Amino acid sequence: MSSQTPEKVQLPDEELDWIQMRIESGPVFPESTKEKMMRKIKENPLVPIGCIATACALGYGLYNFRTGNRRMSQMMMRARIAAQGFTVVALITGVVMTYGKKDK
């Protein structure tokens, strides 16, 4: 077995015009995923707060369920439902506000 190095192929400049067009037109995605997430959080900060509250209530409720504290587990499951409702209302409010801004 002999090791062969790959050959470099020369392409005419006409075939590479699309690369230049892409460079001139700018990035395809103007913002990264992280930038988009941060923008969405700034636009409607109540949704992430509701998500965190829901996760905390669920986690603490499951912990109490496992340790046998039925009363606290039941209270945390109810708190989770309330936090989920808050999150849904915050999400709908954000969508309505965003839609209202676009109409103006």
Side-chain angles (χ1 to χ4, degrees):
M1 285 180 85
S2 65
S3 173
Q4 295 180 353
T5 58
E7 294 181 28
K8 292 186 179 183
V9 178
Q10 293 293 334
L11 297 173
D13 290 336
E14 297 85 34
E15 291 186 27
L16 301 177
D17 284 344
W18 65 273
I19 295 174
Q20 185 62 33
M21 274 183 18
R22 203 163 193 196
I23 291 170
E24 290 172 357
S25 69
V28 177
F29 301 108
E31 61 184 352
S32 69
T33 305
K34 184 178 178 182
E35 292 169 340
K36 183 176 181 179
M37 182 181 71
M38 294 308 293
R39 179 178 53 84
K40 294 282 187 179
I41 288 172
K42 287 178 185 174
E43 287 176 2
N44 194 357
L46 295 179
V47 172
I49 291 170
C51 290
I52 291 169
T54 302
C56 290
L58 177 63
Y60 193 59
L62 290 174
Y63 169 76
N64 282 301
F65 179 76
R66 182 161 173 87
T67 58
N69 189 353
R70 290 176 137 183
R71 184 167 171 78
M72 183 58 78
S73 174
Q74 220 20 259
M75 286 177 54
M76 287 295 105
M77 290 302 118
R78 291 178 182 154
R80 176 187 59 88
I81 297 299
Q84 281 179 316
F86 173 80
T87 305
V88 169
V89 168
L91 184 62
I92 292 170
T93 303
V95 167
V96 168
M97 288 175 59
T98 302
Y99 183 73
K101 287 179 185 177
K102 287 183 180 178
D103 284 343
K104 291 181 182 180

